[in-house]
Amino acid sequence: MLNIVLFGPPGAGKGTQSQKLIAHYHLVHLSTGDLLRAQITQGTVLGLKAKKLMDEGLLVPDEVVIGMIDSALQEKKEAAGFIFDGFPRTVPQAESLDQLLAQHQTRVSCMVALEVGEEELVKRLLERGKTSNRPDDQDESKIRRRVNVYNTETAQVAGYYANQHKFHALNGIGEIESIFGQICQIIDQHQRPVIESPIAATDEVKA
Ligand code: ADP
């Protein structure tokens, strides 16, 4: 299975690149933001609670999003793999994702982080706010709070994957196609089968 974590601040282009990646690699897109907005549209209790936090640009509690990912993984057992978009956003979420994927005999293949500076993010999100109907995209102070939450609570998730040698960063400013090409290169490197060195193999036999 190919499981990609697409990482980066709000407005970095994760949603746009996810759409291209799911088509190219035949993966299932799991965006916790989309799953939460679906709950809001359905008017569920969870959705009502989440909406208050989302509108303020704050994170929804870990157990809520972890529960949603757990259910989605159970529902999509036949998937060739997943793109995680907007999840994990905290280290406990990253730890839970490892545990959940292990229950399905799989793991995160790699994380790709899209890097974009704050002023460009604010510009992009205000532009998106004109058509997205998202209250959190329409107010500059809320956008800046989301970027701040990313810097203080989410950015450390990169270190979690760096420790596992799965972290890759890319400049998120540039042509969409060019960024897509760079993401594919990273993913394809991780997909290449590991060729065991004859020395390591001999050592293993000796042991
Ligand atoms: P963006 O990346 O533009 O912020 P998302 O759709 O990923 O958009 O997230 C919108 C909001 O949904 C977040 O600001 C947060 O309130 C909530 N949210 C989404 N994913 C998570 C998550 N993994 N953990 C906590 N809150 C989340």
Side-chain angles (χ1 to χ4, degrees):
M1 255 176 135
L2 179 62
N3 298 308
I4 312 298
V5 174
L6 203 50
F7 193 70
K14 301 184 297 287
T16 306
Q17 295 297 338
S18 290
Q19 291 310 319
K20 299 178 74 64
L21 290 165
I22 55 174
H24 187 75
Y25 292 103
H26 310 291
L27 303 174
V28 171
H29 183 210
L30 287 185
S31 152
T32 38
D34 287 351
L35 292 171
L36 288 165
R37 280 185 289 276
Q39 294 285 328
I40 294 174
T41 308
Q42 288 163 32
T44 64
V45 177
L46 190 159
L48 284 174
K49 283 191 188 153
K51 183 171 168 36
K52 287 204 186 89
L53 293 162
M54 292 168 76
D55 286 354
E56 288 307 313
L58 300 170
L59 293 186
V60 170
D62 285 342
E63 58 274 18
V64 172
V65 284
I66 291 165
M68 290 193 319
I69 292 288
D70 188 7
S71 313
L73 291 176
Q74 312 263 18
E75 271 172 33
K76 310 266 178 196
K77 283 211 171 87
E78 310 308 317
F82 296 92
I83 302 240
F84 297 95
D85 163 4
F87 180 91
R89 259 172 155 97
T90 63
V91 171
Q93 290 181 22
E95 289 166 349
S96 296
L97 181 60
D98 277 351
Q99 286 161 12
L100 290 174
L101 290 177
Q103 286 167 18
H104 294 268
Q105 286 78 45
T106 185
R107 62 200 181 97
V108 170
S109 311
C110 64
M111 169 201 252
V112 182
L114 299 174
E115 296 182 332
V116 177
E118 176 160 346
E119 295 317 309
E120 173 71 14
L121 295 172
V122 172
K123 205 172 84 188
R124 287 184 186 183
L125 291 175
L126 282 174
E127 195 55 39
R128 186 171 81 183
K130 291 179 188 165
T131 52
S132 71
N133 267 333
R134 282 178 51 172
D136 58 345
D137 281 350
Q138 284 161 359
D139 176 329
E140 181 167 338
S141 64
K142 284 181 190 170
I143 291 175
R144 290 199 188 270
R145 183 183 293 163
R146 281 155 69 201
V147 175
N148 189 41
V149 166
Y150 172 81
N151 289 330
T152 54
E153 299 181 47
T154 302
Q156 52 197 299
V157 173
Y160 181 86
Y161 289 99
N163 284 338
Q164 297 186 5
H165 310 289
K166 291 177 181 174
F167 173 76
H168 302 268
L170 283 181
N171 183 357
I173 299 182
E175 291 289 327
I176 290 173
E177 279 306 324
S178 146
I179 296 168
F180 176 63
Q182 294 172 59
I183 300 175
C184 291
Q185 259 182 18
I186 292 169
I187 295 175
D188 293 344
Q189 267 169 24
H190 275 269
Q191 286 216 96
R192 272 213 301 267
V194 179
I195 300 163
E196 284 195 19
S197 91
I199 297 169
T202 319
D203 280 355
E204 212 168 293
V205 171
K206 274 188 210 152

